[in-house]
Amino acid sequence: MKTPTAGPPAAAVPVLEMRSIVKTFPGVKALSDVSLTVAQGEVHAICGENGAGKSTLMKVLSGVHPHGSYEGEIRFRGENCVFKDIRASEARGIVIIHQELALVPYLSIAENIFLGNEHATRGFISWNETLRHAAVLLDRVGLREHPQTRVADIGVGKQQLVEIAKALSKKVELLILDEPTAALNDEDSAKLLTLIKELKGQGISSIIISHKLGEITEVADSVTVLRDGRTVETLDVRSGSTTEDRIIRGMVGRDLDHRFPERTPYEGDPGAHPALEVRDWTVHHPIDQHRKVVDHVSVLARRGEIVGIAGLMGAGRTELAMSVFGRSYGRNISGTVLKDGKEIRTRTVSEAVRHKIAYVTEDRKQYGLNLIDTIGRNISLGALDKVSRRGIVDEHEETRVAESYRTSMNIKTPTVFEQVGRLSGGNQQKVVLGKWIFAGPDVLILDEPTRGIDVGAKYEIYSVIDRLAAQGKAVVLISSELPELLGMCDRIYTMAAGRLTGEVPRAQATQEVLMRHMTSDKR
């Protein structure tokens, strides 16, 4: 009697299948027949331009958009799932960490980890058990902080690790990370990516949404590309043939031959007075007034020039920009600001704006926009006097101005009466830029202007910046992305620990040179 031969091994059941997902908002189909499959122990990336539907898809998966509000099917470990809210998805082992971290700053790390999931008996919390378990989780994510440390007293990179520890406390099987490194420096980003790989080794699957394609090709096993709310393709990164350019082609539907617009390098009159000059600028920390966050820094920008400022987190770049712009940050500020060779006062934001200096903040949601108001209202806020008569806003003129910026800056929305909070990140950033361009500045300080937006929207914003310089504006560009500074700037200043450590002309600038200056202990 023959022994029966074994057949081929059964295919492993995917940890997740999302089949033909359709999600519609009033007047907009955000997702149209989107499908996604994630294998066990896989790091699966989702890429796409802003507004492609990435975050919406993850909100469907995590129960933020509950079952019944969308069409299609979700299967987790082979079982059909109908999540009515986020607690239902977490109970099944699916945990999402949003780009805006959901931590309470004035509670301790341990309290945040177990918030809503406390170690309690008959309504009484066991603090010994809470601290012991928190310490185990912090060790697992590699965070060397005491569990009783306040979240407000640790940096953003460490807060990301607290979020992951919180997810692990819920026995996570599928971890969703939405732009996890958007606000992190290179060192903290590298640590986080290493942790994602370690979790993969422990059998935890991950979905990562990111616009940083270099990180995607480093950490992901597969990439699903979305475009206009549809699944375009899924690429196998492990094959070695999936490059950044290949992902971009899927995202934008064409080859993007150049990441930056071609521009003629600055060739102005070096003898002319700079549009903006800051001399011997010193700023103290608003709480610890003995600590200098900007220490005797001198910089200048000429008309028609794009000047970069590079530095690691904590270098003092944003503190420099905000303190110059109406002393929006810091205490005991000293130094001199000159515009076109004449000393000016910028003690308040109104004074800075009157001198035609504008500042585009790195935090567009908190400081750059009124998210519950319309596109038109947000754009006019930079110069209300231009759309007002005798103190009353001319709504027709306001709408006409907003429409002109919607068209010229390619803000993707059918109407300027749309609420800004409903726009994608890239389109929100265009509104912020439009607001300050409408104000008619001579000097435009841009702080992380492309953070958290896709390559297509980045190119459009780079083109706007290039046009402003060509019109004779002086542009100061602060960025954590060295390729961005190298691709756009005529000169680049470097900062470390609040001090200026270098000034590098375009012809001599490389990532290695900039990083050497950025890590210098020069005093």
Short mmCIF file of all heavy atoms in Angstrom, two decimals, residues 290-332:
data_model
loop_
_atom_site.label_atom_id
_atom_site.label_comp_id
_atom_site.label_asym_id
_atom_site.label_seq_id
_atom_site.Cartn_x
_atom_site.Cartn_y
_atom_site.Cartn_z
N HIS A 290 17.76 81.11 32.74
CA HIS A 290 19.23 81.08 32.74
C HIS A 290 19.77 80.34 31.51
O HIS A 290 20.97 80.40 31.23
CB HIS A 290 19.74 80.40 34.01
CG HIS A 290 19.39 81.15 35.27
ND1 HIS A 290 19.94 82.37 35.61
CD2 HIS A 290 18.50 80.84 36.26
CE1 HIS A 290 19.43 82.79 36.75
NE2 HIS A 290 18.54 81.88 37.17
N ARG A 291 18.88 79.66 30.80
CA ARG A 291 19.30 78.83 29.66
C ARG A 291 19.12 79.59 28.35
O ARG A 291 18.03 80.07 28.04
CB ARG A 291 18.47 77.55 29.64
CG ARG A 291 18.80 76.61 28.49
CD ARG A 291 17.99 75.34 28.62
NE ARG A 291 17.60 74.83 27.33
CZ ARG A 291 16.44 74.26 27.06
NH1 ARG A 291 15.54 74.13 28.00
NH2 ARG A 291 16.18 73.81 25.86
N LYS A 292 20.19 79.67 27.57
CA LYS A 292 20.13 80.32 26.27
C LYS A 292 19.74 79.30 25.20
O LYS A 292 20.43 78.29 25.04
CB LYS A 292 21.49 80.94 25.91
CG LYS A 292 21.91 82.09 26.79
CD LYS A 292 23.28 82.61 26.36
CE LYS A 292 23.75 83.73 27.27
NZ LYS A 292 25.11 84.22 26.89
N VAL A 293 18.64 79.57 24.49
CA VAL A 293 18.24 78.67 23.41
C VAL A 293 18.75 79.18 22.05
O VAL A 293 18.85 78.42 21.10
CB VAL A 293 16.71 78.49 23.37
CG1 VAL A 293 16.23 77.70 24.56
CG2 VAL A 293 15.99 79.83 23.30
N VAL A 294 19.05 80.48 21.98
CA VAL A 294 19.74 81.07 20.83
C VAL A 294 20.85 81.94 21.42
O VAL A 294 20.60 82.80 22.25
CB VAL A 294 18.79 81.94 19.97
CG1 VAL A 294 19.55 82.56 18.80
CG2 VAL A 294 17.62 81.10 19.46
N ASP A 295 22.07 81.68 20.98
CA ASP A 295 23.25 82.26 21.64
C ASP A 295 24.09 83.07 20.66
O ASP A 295 24.90 82.52 19.91
CB ASP A 295 24.07 81.11 22.26
CG ASP A 295 25.14 81.62 23.21
OD1 ASP A 295 25.31 82.84 23.34
OD2 ASP A 295 25.82 80.77 23.82
N HIS A 296 23.86 84.39 20.64
CA HIS A 296 24.68 85.32 19.84
C HIS A 296 24.76 84.88 18.36
O HIS A 296 25.84 84.72 17.81
CB HIS A 296 26.09 85.46 20.43
CG HIS A 296 26.08 86.03 21.81
ND1 HIS A 296 25.89 87.37 22.07
CD2 HIS A 296 26.21 85.43 23.03
CE1 HIS A 296 25.93 87.58 23.39
NE2 HIS A 296 26.11 86.41 23.99
N VAL A 297 23.61 84.71 17.75
CA VAL A 297 23.53 84.26 16.36
C VAL A 297 23.38 85.47 15.44
O VAL A 297 22.60 86.39 15.72
CB VAL A 297 22.34 83.29 16.16
CG1 VAL A 297 22.06 83.06 14.68
CG2 VAL A 297 22.63 81.98 16.87
N SER A 298 24.10 85.47 14.32
CA SER A 298 23.99 86.51 13.30
C SER A 298 23.78 85.84 11.94
O SER A 298 24.57 84.99 11.54
CB SER A 298 25.25 87.37 13.25
OG SER A 298 25.43 88.07 14.47
N VAL A 299 22.69 86.23 11.26
CA VAL A 299 22.38 85.68 9.93
C VAL A 299 21.82 86.80 9.06
O VAL A 299 21.37 87.83 9.57
CB VAL A 299 21.35 84.53 10.01
CG1 VAL A 299 21.89 83.35 10.79
CG2 VAL A 299 20.04 85.02 10.64
N LEU A 300 21.85 86.59 7.74
CA LEU A 300 21.27 87.57 6.82
C LEU A 300 20.72 86.86 5.59
O LEU A 300 21.12 85.74 5.26
CB LEU A 300 22.29 88.64 6.43
CG LEU A 300 23.57 88.20 5.69
CD1 LEU A 300 23.35 88.12 4.18
CD2 LEU A 300 24.70 89.18 5.99
N ALA A 301 19.77 87.54 4.94
CA ALA A 301 19.17 87.03 3.71
C ALA A 301 18.97 88.20 2.76
O ALA A 301 18.46 89.25 3.15
CB ALA A 301 17.84 86.34 3.99
N ARG A 302 19.39 88.02 1.49
CA ARG A 302 19.28 89.08 0.49
C ARG A 302 18.04 88.85 -0.38
O ARG A 302 17.53 87.74 -0.47
CB ARG A 302 20.55 89.11 -0.37
CG ARG A 302 21.83 89.38 0.42
CD ARG A 302 23.04 89.45 -0.49
NE ARG A 302 24.26 89.75 0.26
CZ ARG A 302 25.06 88.83 0.78
NH1 ARG A 302 24.76 87.55 0.64
NH2 ARG A 302 26.14 89.19 1.45
N ARG A 303 17.62 89.91 -1.05
CA ARG A 303 16.48 89.79 -1.95
C ARG A 303 16.82 88.84 -3.10
O ARG A 303 17.89 88.92 -3.69
CB ARG A 303 16.10 91.17 -2.49
CG ARG A 303 15.51 92.09 -1.44
CD ARG A 303 15.10 93.43 -2.02
NE ARG A 303 14.54 94.29 -0.97
CZ ARG A 303 13.27 94.29 -0.60
NH1 ARG A 303 12.41 93.47 -1.19
NH2 ARG A 303 12.84 95.10 0.36
N GLY A 304 15.87 87.94 -3.39
CA GLY A 304 16.09 86.97 -4.45
C GLY A 304 16.85 85.73 -4.03
O GLY A 304 17.09 84.83 -4.84
N GLU A 305 17.18 85.65 -2.75
CA GLU A 305 18.00 84.55 -2.24
C GLU A 305 17.16 83.62 -1.37
O GLU A 305 16.28 84.06 -0.64
CB GLU A 305 19.15 85.12 -1.42
CG GLU A 305 20.18 84.10 -0.95
CD GLU A 305 21.31 84.73 -0.14
OE1 GLU A 305 21.06 85.74 0.55
OE2 GLU A 305 22.42 84.21 -0.20
N ILE A 306 17.42 82.33 -1.48
CA ILE A 306 16.83 81.34 -0.57
C ILE A 306 17.94 80.88 0.35
O ILE A 306 18.93 80.28 -0.08
CB ILE A 306 16.23 80.15 -1.34
CG1 ILE A 306 15.15 80.62 -2.32
CG2 ILE A 306 15.65 79.13 -0.36
CD1 ILE A 306 14.55 79.51 -3.17
N VAL A 307 17.80 81.17 1.64
CA VAL A 307 18.81 80.85 2.64
C VAL A 307 18.27 79.76 3.55
O VAL A 307 17.16 79.88 4.08
CB VAL A 307 19.17 82.10 3.48
CG1 VAL A 307 20.18 81.74 4.56
CG2 VAL A 307 19.72 83.20 2.58
N GLY A 308 19.02 78.70 3.72
CA GLY A 308 18.59 77.59 4.56
C GLY A 308 19.17 77.68 5.96
O GLY A 308 20.23 78.27 6.18
N ILE A 309 18.45 77.09 6.92
CA ILE A 309 18.96 76.92 8.29
C ILE A 309 18.79 75.45 8.65
O ILE A 309 17.67 74.94 8.68
CB ILE A 309 18.24 77.81 9.31
CG1 ILE A 309 18.38 79.29 8.93
CG2 ILE A 309 18.81 77.58 10.70
CD1 ILE A 309 17.71 80.24 9.91
N ALA A 310 19.91 74.78 8.90
CA ALA A 310 19.91 73.35 9.21
C ALA A 310 20.33 73.14 10.65
O ALA A 310 21.10 73.92 11.21
CB ALA A 310 20.87 72.61 8.27
N GLY A 311 19.83 72.08 11.25
CA GLY A 311 20.19 71.76 12.63
C GLY A 311 19.38 70.60 13.13
O GLY A 311 18.27 70.36 12.66
N LEU A 312 19.92 69.87 14.08
CA LEU A 312 19.19 68.78 14.69
C LEU A 312 18.15 69.34 15.65
O LEU A 312 18.15 70.53 15.97
CB LEU A 312 20.16 67.85 15.43
CG LEU A 312 21.25 67.20 14.56
CD1 LEU A 312 22.19 66.38 15.43
CD2 LEU A 312 20.64 66.33 13.47
N MET A 313 17.25 68.48 16.12
CA MET A 313 16.23 68.93 17.06
C MET A 313 16.90 69.52 18.29
O MET A 313 17.84 68.95 18.84
CB MET A 313 15.33 67.76 17.45
CG MET A 313 14.10 68.17 18.24
SD MET A 313 12.97 66.79 18.52
CE MET A 313 12.30 66.55 16.88
N GLY A 314 16.42 70.69 18.72
CA GLY A 314 17.02 71.36 19.86
C GLY A 314 18.14 72.31 19.48
O GLY A 314 18.75 72.93 20.36
N ALA A 315 18.39 72.46 18.18
CA ALA A 315 19.48 73.34 17.74
C ALA A 315 19.14 74.81 17.91
O ALA A 315 20.03 75.66 17.98
CB ALA A 315 19.83 73.05 16.28
N GLY A 316 17.84 75.15 17.96
CA GLY A 316 17.43 76.53 18.14
C GLY A 316 16.91 77.21 16.89
O GLY A 316 16.70 78.43 16.87
N ARG A 317 16.65 76.43 15.83
CA ARG A 317 16.20 77.03 14.56
C ARG A 317 14.84 77.70 14.69
O ARG A 317 14.66 78.87 14.33
CB ARG A 317 16.14 75.94 13.48
CG ARG A 317 17.45 75.23 13.21
CD ARG A 317 17.21 73.96 12.39
NE ARG A 317 16.24 73.08 13.07
CZ ARG A 317 15.61 72.07 12.48
NH1 ARG A 317 15.83 71.82 11.21
NH2 ARG A 317 14.77 71.32 13.16
N THR A 318 13.85 76.95 15.19
CA THR A 318 12.50 77.51 15.35
C THR A 318 12.50 78.64 16.36
O THR A 318 11.81 79.65 16.19
CB THR A 318 11.52 76.40 15.76
OG1 THR A 318 11.40 75.47 14.69
CG2 THR A 318 10.16 76.96 16.10
N GLU A 319 13.26 78.48 17.44
CA GLU A 319 13.33 79.52 18.47
C GLU A 319 13.89 80.82 17.88
O GLU A 319 13.41 81.92 18.21
CB GLU A 319 14.20 79.04 19.63
CG GLU A 319 13.61 77.91 20.44
CD GLU A 319 13.80 76.52 19.83
OE1 GLU A 319 14.34 76.42 18.71
OE2 GLU A 319 13.40 75.54 20.47
N LEU A 320 14.87 80.71 16.99
CA LEU A 320 15.42 81.89 16.32
C LEU A 320 14.34 82.57 15.47
O LEU A 320 14.12 83.78 15.55
CB LEU A 320 16.60 81.48 15.44
CG LEU A 320 17.15 82.55 14.49
CD1 LEU A 320 17.72 83.73 15.26
CD2 LEU A 320 18.22 81.94 13.56
N ALA A 321 13.65 81.77 14.65
CA ALA A 321 12.64 82.32 13.75
C ALA A 321 11.50 82.98 14.52
O ALA A 321 11.09 84.10 14.22
CB ALA A 321 12.11 81.22 12.83
N MET A 322 10.97 82.28 15.52
CA MET A 322 9.82 82.80 16.26
C MET A 322 10.18 84.05 17.06
O MET A 322 9.37 84.97 17.20
CB MET A 322 9.25 81.72 17.19
CG MET A 322 8.57 80.59 16.46
SD MET A 322 7.84 79.37 17.58
CE MET A 322 6.51 80.33 18.33
N SER A 323 11.39 84.09 17.59
CA SER A 323 11.78 85.26 18.38
C SER A 323 11.99 86.49 17.50
O SER A 323 11.69 87.61 17.91
CB SER A 323 13.04 84.96 19.19
OG SER A 323 14.13 84.59 18.35
N VAL A 324 12.48 86.30 16.28
CA VAL A 324 12.63 87.41 15.35
C VAL A 324 11.25 87.90 14.90
O VAL A 324 11.02 89.10 14.77
CB VAL A 324 13.49 87.00 14.13
CG1 VAL A 324 13.43 88.05 13.03
CG2 VAL A 324 14.94 86.78 14.55
N PHE A 325 10.33 86.97 14.70
CA PHE A 325 8.98 87.32 14.25
C PHE A 325 8.12 87.74 15.45
O PHE A 325 7.35 86.96 16.02
CB PHE A 325 8.34 86.13 13.53
CG PHE A 325 6.99 86.44 12.93
CD1 PHE A 325 6.87 87.32 11.88
CD2 PHE A 325 5.85 85.84 13.42
CE1 PHE A 325 5.62 87.61 11.32
CE2 PHE A 325 4.60 86.11 12.87
CZ PHE A 325 4.49 87.01 11.83
N GLY A 326 8.29 88.97 15.86
CA GLY A 326 7.44 89.53 16.91
C GLY A 326 7.68 88.97 18.29
O GLY A 326 6.78 89.00 19.14
N ARG A 327 8.88 88.43 18.51
CA ARG A 327 9.22 87.88 19.83
C ARG A 327 8.16 86.89 20.30
O ARG A 327 7.69 86.92 21.45
CB ARG A 327 9.42 89.01 20.85
CG ARG A 327 10.45 90.02 20.36
CD ARG A 327 11.07 90.82 21.45
NE ARG A 327 12.17 91.65 20.91
CZ ARG A 327 13.07 92.28 21.63
NH1 ARG A 327 13.03 92.17 22.94
NH2 ARG A 327 14.03 93.00 21.07
N SER A 328 7.76 86.00 19.36
CA SER A 328 6.72 85.01 19.65
C SER A 328 7.21 83.90 20.57
O SER A 328 6.42 83.08 21.02
CB SER A 328 6.23 84.38 18.33
OG SER A 328 5.82 85.36 17.43
N TYR A 329 8.51 83.88 20.83
CA TYR A 329 9.07 82.84 21.70
C TYR A 329 10.21 83.47 22.50
O TYR A 329 10.96 84.30 22.00
CB TYR A 329 9.61 81.66 20.89
CG TYR A 329 10.29 80.60 21.74
CD1 TYR A 329 9.56 79.54 22.26
CD2 TYR A 329 11.64 80.70 22.07
CE1 TYR A 329 10.16 78.59 23.07
CE2 TYR A 329 12.25 79.76 22.88
CZ TYR A 329 11.51 78.70 23.37
OH TYR A 329 12.10 77.77 24.18
N GLY A 330 10.34 83.02 23.76
CA GLY A 330 11.53 83.35 24.54
C GLY A 330 11.38 84.55 25.46
O GLY A 330 10.38 85.29 25.43
N ARG A 331 12.40 84.72 26.31
CA ARG A 331 12.48 85.83 27.25
C ARG A 331 13.87 86.45 27.15
O ARG A 331 14.81 85.85 26.64
CB ARG A 331 12.26 85.32 28.68
CG ARG A 331 10.92 84.68 28.94
CD ARG A 331 9.80 85.70 29.01
NE ARG A 331 9.95 86.56 30.17
CZ ARG A 331 9.48 86.28 31.39
NH1 ARG A 331 8.84 85.12 31.59
NH2 ARG A 331 9.63 87.11 32.39
N ASN A 332 13.99 87.67 27.66
CA ASN A 332 15.28 88.37 27.70
C ASN A 332 15.98 88.33 26.35
O ASN A 332 17.13 87.91 26.23
CB ASN A 332 16.18 87.78 28.79
CG ASN A 332 15.56 87.85 30.17
OD1 ASN A 332 14.80 88.76 30.46
ND2 ASN A 332 15.87 86.87 31.01
#
